[in-house]
Amino acid sequence: MTLRVEAFQGSPAEWDAFVRGQPLWTHFHLFGWNTVMRRALGHECVYLAARDPDGRLAGVLPLVRVKSVVFGHYLVSMPFLNYGGPLGSDPAIQALVEHAVARAAADGAKLLELRSRTALPIALPVSHRKTAVVLDLTPGSPDAAWAGVNARLKNYVRRTQKAGVTVRFGLDQVDGFYAVFARHMHELGTPTHGRRLFETIAEVFPEDAWFGCAYHEGRPVACGCGLRWADQIEVTWASAVASAPELRPNALLYWSFIERAANEGLRSFSFGRSTPGSGTHEFKRRWGSRDEPLWWYGRSSRNGATTPSPDDPALAWGPWLWKRLPNRLATLLGPRIVRYLP
């Protein structure tokens, strides 16, 4: 069967119906992320479709162009997120990737990167430099998840609750979320995304986006933003203020997300991606979770090219400098930089 690959010209409803019919779909394949990338970050979306001779969708590939003079030109599926890549039949996936490789070369992109959760039937080089940390849940039974939690983490959760820390969920938590997130990114020496990104996520995905904040004495001290799809949820962004380490509010925050997910009948909770062997990776494994290596496929115009990362020795000066900026200035400048670091 001959497949035709072209820019997607159908409706968002057609795209999403196809995506939801694929066994390996994720929230980040949904068409609404096209709106988020364009409206909140100003990036061009190159969404591709493979159609059969009757015009029916056989595969889709959401691509986003991230281009700047300083950091370079990238085509990524999906930037700033952990999952993406093509969905569909094996022939459709192969046709979409072949088209994307040719498009990246013709456009002069430094790197085409396809961030898949699973192995794909393609021959591009693959990296496992990141891993997802996933906790399997028993629907309706948070007690089952609690039984597998490390004893030290259980003590942190109890101690934090006893200190009067409470967790609230809702779209009205975006302000509290962003106050903690921006501050924490500055403390790490990392440019922060703008508030507009999270406001747009809440606007585009009001049913799927879980914003949660932990409060102590009326002040937000930890936060998380999770995206739910099917029977799964991933907390894609999470932070806690460094000035409250004795409270361990991040432990209570994560437990509150896990407890809610189990109570709502979900089967899988993802802590998002980590660098294997890092301190963050170790913390996430203490919840009784497991590693799920990510399959990030790439075709670069330069051998070994990857998307920019704070782990890159060439960018090691960045965190040192960023921490020394006033918090207000860092929060103002951060979104103008990080939007080019996919």
Side-chain angles (χ1 to χ4, degrees), residues 4-10 15 45-49 51 99 103:
R4 182 178 75 255
V5 176
E6 60 189 12
F8 179 72
Q9 300 292 337
W15 178 284
C45 293
V46 185
Y47 275 37
L48 302 177
R51 295 188 182 273
H99 185 96
R103 177 68 178 267

Side-chain angles (χ1 to χ4, degrees), residues 102-160:
R103 177 68 178 267
D107 292 352
K110 180 193 297 187
L111 175 69
L112 168 73
E113 185 169 73
L114 308 175
R115 298 178 174 180
S116 178
R117 188 173 184 176
T118 58
L120 296 174
I122 60 177
L124 294 185
V126 64
S127 169
H128 300 296
R129 66 184 184 275
K130 298 293 182 180
T131 186
V133 182
V134 178
L135 176 64
D136 297 313
L137 301 176
T138 300
S141 178
D143 289 345
W146 183 253
V149 176
N150 175 282
R152 182 186 299 178
L153 278 179
K154 288 181 178 178
N155 287 333
Y156 290 159
V157 171
R158 295 188 186 103
R159 187 191 313 166
T160 305

Side-chain angles (χ1 to χ4, degrees), residues 205-267:
F205 302 113
E207 302 299 322
D208 303 341
W210 291 12
F211 284 91
C213 277
Y215 290 85
H216 182 244
E217 297 178 347
R219 182 172 61 95
V221 291
C223 68
C225 172
L227 282 305
R228 172 182 177 170
W229 71 96
D231 60 357
Q232 307 175 54
I233 185 170
E234 178 192 272
V235 174
T236 308
W237 295 277
S239 295
V241 296
S243 57
E246 72 284 353
L247 290 174
R248 304 284 183 174
N250 57 332
L252 178 59
L253 179 87
Y254 273 116
W255 170 245
S256 298
F257 269 97
I258 293 168
E259 184 177 40
R260 177 181 175 184
N263 280 329
E264 293 199 11
L266 304 190
R267 296 181 178 276

Side-chain angles (χ1 to χ4, degrees), residues 33-43 193-201 335 339:
W33 285 98
N34 184 304
T35 301
V36 173
M37 294 294 167
R38 289 185 295 103
R39 185 186 301 171
L41 298 171
H43 294 312
H193 281 294
R195 183 192 305 268
R196 182 59 175 155
L197 172 62
F198 303 104
E199 291 174 338
T200 306
I201 289 172
R339 63 188 288 262

